[in-house]
Amino acid sequence: MENILVVGSLNADLVVRAPRFPQPGETISGEDLQVFPGGKGANQAVAAVRLGAKVSMLGRVGRDTFGDFLLDNLKANHVNTTLIQRDDASTGTAIIVVDADGQNSIVLSPGANGKVSPSDVESASFSTFSLLLLQLEIPTPTVLRAAQLARQNGVRVLLNPAPAKELPDELIALADFIVPNETELSLLTGTQVNDVSSAEAAAKKLLERGAQNVIVTLGSKGALIAAKDFTRHIPSYQVNVVDTTAAGDAFIGGFAVELIGRSGGSLTPADSLENASYAKHIEKAVRYACACGALACTKFGAQPSLPNRFEVEEFRARH
Ligand code: RIB
């Protein structure tokens, strides 16, 4: 049985490392261009597989060489690609600049990702999965439809609202876990989030909008878990940052795998952070996810940086 379904984007990442980001109107020179498999959906699928889950991905790529590249790559990573369609549009592309501090700046050309439709997700057998992973690089009505179908079939929903975008309350309420970073939470709540206490205040606002459980990723500051009558800050690991691209995707993959357990067993509807043993399970999953995110910052490129579970175990034993 496959346990995770990812409905999301696949991108070819065209990456250049440069000393800094160019100013508007300025041209600067960087290093040689590198092409990596990326896209938040595909990254999260690969992250979860490398950590021990069985994963299917639903999405679209073009009938072009980048489409071949991304499909071959997912197959090589043992992600089930039978729900990925070829489209007349070009394969999604991300133009990425990484600066000397490992921070990135990304321009997306969604291409075929923009064609993933509500009827695409209606063809999937949701009931065979335990968990649905969603992000926002495909159209929001498709994300919403996938969340509705998951809920109707008793499948848990983990929504990573990335990149930052306004969302309907209905989608926020359908997610069992919503996992924004500081920028995404700022946009969703209209407040500035830049530390643990502002994250806590903003997470409360998201709970008031109907979110069930919020996990805010705070980069080197760790993560904040927030639910009704529950908040817990989990510190992260300090590492030498080479490239932060896909660190959030590594976090999501790690959290997802620990959430459902490697056996892929379903969660029960009674799971709530008010239950002490469930809260411990979630805290443990977030600690594991922080290690995955930290490790992803230590390597260049999106999918090349996603750790496997032996690397995570070894890293955690050292820290
Ligand atoms: O989250 C990282 C990803 O964002 C990159 O792989 C790029 O494709 C963009 O979608």
Side-chain angles (χ1 to χ4, degrees):
M1 176 183 156
E2 267 143 21
N3 30 56
I4 296 177
L5 173 64
V6 180
V7 173
S9 59
L10 300 96
N11 292 328
D13 288 356
L14 311 186
V15 192
V16 173
R17 202 199 300 254
R20 60 180 174 78
F21 300 120
Q23 300 293 320
E26 186 189 23
T27 301
I28 61 169
S29 287
E31 296 179 8
D32 288 347
L33 175 76
Q34 298 191 63
V35 182
F36 297 114
K40 293 183 192 303
N43 293 348
Q44 293 177 17
V46 169
V49 158
R50 288 193 185 155
L51 298 168
K54 290 197 183 111
V55 181
S56 266
M57 167 130 204
L58 186 153
R60 284 185 183 242
V61 293
R63 297 178 218 282
D64 47 21
T65 47
F66 280 155
D68 295 339
F69 166 61
L70 296 180
L71 275 181
D72 290 348
N73 169 70
L74 281 190
K75 286 176 193 156
N77 278 282
H78 309 290
V79 174
N80 183 340
T81 59
T82 51
L83 295 172
I84 299 178
Q85 297 184 51
R86 306 297 295 249
D87 194 282
D88 290 337
S90 307
T91 296
T93 310
I95 314 293
I96 304 181
V97 178
V98 179
D99 76 0
D101 296 326
Q103 301 303 309
N104 62 50
S105 161
I106 303 180
V107 177
L108 279 181
S109 170
N113 295 312
K115 301 287 197 64
V116 185
S117 68
S119 63
D120 288 357
V121 296
E122 279 160 8
S123 64
S125 300
F126 277 80
S127 58
T128 56
F129 298 98
S130 316
L131 181 68
L132 171 68
L133 297 189
L134 295 166
Q135 323 74 31
L136 302 178
E137 286 185 338
I138 59 170
T140 305
T142 308
V143 175
L144 179 61
R145 188 70 190 123
Q148 288 166 339
L149 288 167
R151 171 58 66 92
Q152 283 164 20
N153 285 280
V155 179
R156 289 292 165 119
V157 178
L158 195 166
L159 171 64
N160 173 218
K165 218 178 256 185
E166 279 297 351
L167 289 180
D169 285 350
E170 184 188 355
L171 178 56
I172 290 173
L174 280 168
D176 294 275
F177 289 88
I178 181 163
V179 187
N181 67 14
E182 288 155 296
T183 310
E184 292 142 12
L185 184 60
S186 296
L187 184 131
L188 287 171
T189 60
T191 55
Q192 190 57 43
V193 179
N194 45 25
D195 57 17
V196 177
S197 74
S198 56
E200 192 171 333
K204 274 200 185 114
K205 285 193 160 196
L206 208 52
L207 292 166
E208 282 159 18
R209 274 187 72 184
Q212 300 178 48
N213 300 294
V214 182
I215 298 173
V216 189
T217 57
L218 298 162
S220 60
K221 299 185 287 295
L224 180 85
I225 309 169
K228 188 170 163 281
D229 302 325
F230 184 94
T231 40
R232 191 79 79 250
H233 173 236
I234 306 292
S236 192
Y237 301 82
Q238 302 310 311
V239 290
N240 285 330
V241 175
V242 172
D243 177 9
T244 57
T245 309
D249 301 325
F251 182 101
I252 298 283
F255 179 70
V257 168
E258 286 291 298
L259 177 69
I260 60 172
R262 288 194 178 77
S263 61
S266 296
L267 301 165
T268 72
D271 289 335
S272 150
L273 284 163
E274 284 167 47
N275 168 336
S277 72
Y278 186 67
K280 283 263 163 301
H281 175 60
I282 297 304
E283 284 178 42
K284 189 168 157 269
V286 171
R287 262 190 210 99
Y288 186 85
C290 284
C292 297
L295 261 173
C297 292
T298 64
K299 287 189 191 159
F300 196 65
Q303 290 181 30
S305 74
L306 301 171
N308 65 38
R309 67 183 149 122
F310 303 106
E311 290 168 320
V312 179
E313 274 159 29
E314 192 269 337
F315 176 80
R316 296 185 81 199
R318 271 193 293 120
H319 290 77

